[in-house]
Amino acid sequence: MTLTNEQWTEQLQACEDPASLYPDAPVFDLPEGAQTDYEVADEDQYDDEYGDEDDGQYDEYGGDGEPFDDYADPEEDGDHPGAPRDLVEVPLDSEEPGEPQRPRRFDGKIAMGFAAAGLVAVLVAIVGAVAVYSSDEPARPTAASVTEPGAAPPPHTAAPKPVAAESADRPLPYTADAAGSCAAGSTAAQTMAGADPHSAFVCVRGGADGQVIEIDLSKTYMITAISLTPGWVGKDASGVSQWGQYRVVTTVQYLFNDTDRTLVTQETKNVHGEAVQPIKRVLASKITILIRQTSRPPAQPEPGATPTPTTGGFNLPAPPLTLAPLPGSPLGGHQESDPVDAAFAIKSLKIIGHEPL
C-alpha cells in the first residue's frame, strides 16, 4: 500500500517510537573519519545571531516580517520553474561570463530573403489593386458601333475571297451515249465532248430523224446554256473539209431531269459554227437530246461572215445560209440518192453551267 505524505506524517506524529514503524529500514554505516556529533545551538544563541522573528529583523527580507515574502507567489505572477519565460537572443560573440549562448533557430540571411520576397509581393498586390480600382471610368467596349471623331480608323478587313471556280459558268464534263438510236457505222457520241479538231460525232440516220442522245453529268449542276455546233465544221485528219459530206442538225429538243421536267427547243438555223441556247437556270444531272430535224448542209458562208460574239463569250448564229442544190431533186436532185443524206454530224456539244451555291 502506498501512503501519501500526509498519511505518513500523521503516523510519525501519532507513534511514540517512530523507528518501530519501519523495522526493515536500511542502516547505513558512516564512512571512516566522518563527524558523528553535532552541537545544536541554543535558541537564544540563534536569535542573537540571526535575530528573533518576533523583533522584526526579517523586515529587511519581507515587508510584513515574513521570511519568505521576497519569493513571489507562482500562481500570481507565473515566476516559477514551469512558467514560460521570454526568450532573449544573445549574440554569438557575447563574452559575458556565466551567460550560456543559445543556438540560433534559423539563418538570418535566409530570414531576410523571405522578408524581402514577402515585401515585394505585398507591393505588387497593392500596385495592381490601385491600377484596377483607382479609375472610376467604366471599361470601354471592345467593339464600338460608331467610330468616335479623331479615333484611329478601324483595321482593314480582309478582302472577300474571289468566287470559287465552281460557281463560274464553264463547260461541264459529261458522258454521251447514242448507241440505241444510231445505226451501225456511227461514231461514238462521246466524240462531241472531245477537243480533237479533226473529228466529229457522226450518226447514221437509217433514212429518218428522231435519234436520242443521253447526256449524264454524274451530279447535279446549275445549267445556264447549251452550245451546239451542227454539222462537221473543219477538216478531217487528211486535211479534207467535211462540211458538205453530212447533214446538219436543224431542230433539237433538250429534256432535263429537274423537278419540273423542263423541255427546251433549239433552232440552230444550220449555222456554220456554234449555236448557243440560253437555259433559265435549271438544276439537273441528266439531259435527253432528241434530234427533231436535220438538213443538208448549206453552202459555205461568204468570206468574212463570222458568228457574232455575245457579251457572255458565246457566239450568236450567223445569218441564214442557202442550201446547195443537188442534182435530180426539186432543188437539183433526189435526197435519197445522195450519200450526204445517210448520216448527220455534230462537231461539238457543250453544257454550260456551274455547281449550285
Side-chain angles (χ1 to χ4, degrees):
M1 179 179 65
T2 304
L3 299 178
T4 62
N5 292 338
E6 291 78 4
Q7 294 174 349
W8 180 71
T9 303
E10 291 176 358
Q11 290 183 7
L12 289 177
Q13 292 176 356
C15 184
E16 295 178 357
D17 186 8
S20 64
L21 296 175
Y22 303 94
D24 297 332
V27 178
F28 296 94
D29 295 334
L30 294 176
E32 185 179 353
Q35 184 178 357
T36 59
D37 53 342
Y38 295 91
E39 296 180 358
V40 179
D42 297 336
E43 183 176 354
D44 296 339
Q45 182 182 356
Y46 180 82
D47 293 339
D48 292 340
E49 292 180 4
Y50 300 99
D52 189 0
E53 65 180 19
D54 296 335
D55 57 5
Q57 291 184 7
Y58 292 100
D59 291 344
E60 61 180 342
Y61 302 101
D64 54 358
E66 295 295 330
F68 298 99
D69 285 345
D70 56 343
Y71 297 96
D73 188 358
E75 297 180 358
E76 294 180 359
D77 56 4
D79 189 10
H80 58 89
R85 300 174 182 273
D86 296 334
L87 297 178
V88 180
E89 183 178 355
V90 180
L92 295 178
D93 56 354
S94 174
E95 298 181 358
E96 294 183 4
E99 185 71 17
Q101 296 182 357
R102 299 181 181 178
R104 291 171 178 251
R105 294 188 178 182
F106 49 82
D107 193 347
K109 294 182 178 180
I110 297 178
M112 290 295 292
F114 278 107
L119 180 59
V120 170
V122 172
L123 292 177
V124 170
I126 293 174
V127 171
V130 170
V132 173
Y133 298 104
S134 61
S135 177
D136 296 335
E137 183 180 355
R140 182 168 297 183
T142 56
S145 58
V146 179
T147 304
E148 297 180 359
H156 295 287
T157 57
K161 295 182 179 180
V163 179
E166 288 76 7
S167 63
D169 286 342
R170 70 188 190 282
L172 302 176
Y174 64 87
T175 56
D177 183 16
S181 295
C182 297
S186 304
T187 60
Q190 190 64 31
T191 310
M192 299 183 297
D196 185 2
H198 304 297
S199 63
F201 166 52
V202 176
C203 176
V204 177
R205 299 172 57 236
D209 296 328
Q211 289 73 27
V212 176
I213 306 171
E214 299 290 343
I215 304 296
D216 187 359
L217 300 174
S218 73
K219 63 180 180 179
T220 301
Y221 287 96
M222 179 69 71
I223 302 173
T224 58
I226 294 179
S227 174
L228 177 69
T229 302
W232 189 328
V233 177
K235 300 178 181 180
D236 60 5
S238 63
V240 178
S241 176
Q242 299 296 311
W243 174 256
Q245 303 300 319
Y246 303 97
R247 294 173 71 90
V248 299
V249 176
T250 305
T251 305
V252 59
Q253 284 185 337
Y254 306 100
L255 178 63
F256 300 90
N257 69 336
D258 60 330
T259 56
D260 297 333
R261 304 294 294 175
T262 303
L263 179 63
V264 177
T265 302
Q266 179 182 15
E267 297 290 343
T268 67
K269 299 181 180 180
N270 302 328
V271 296
H272 189 267
E274 292 185 359
V276 179
Q277 176 63 46
I279 305 296
K280 294 183 178 180
R281 302 178 64 85
V282 173
L283 281 171
S285 61
K286 293 183 178 181
I287 306 172
T288 300
I289 300 177
L290 174 61
I291 306 299
R292 291 284 303 275
Q293 181 184 356
T294 61
S295 304
R296 287 186 176 184
Q300 292 288 347
E302 296 294 331
T306 57
T308 305
T310 62
T311 55
F314 304 109
N315 298 327
L316 292 177
L321 302 178
T322 57
L323 296 176
L326 296 177
S329 68
L331 296 177
H334 296 284
Q335 296 182 2
E336 292 79 2
S337 61
D338 196 280
V340 71
D341 297 325
F344 68 86
I346 297 177
K347 175 61 179 178
S348 69
L349 174 70
K350 297 177 182 179
I351 310 298
I352 310 300
H354 58 268
E355 293 189 6
L357 300 179

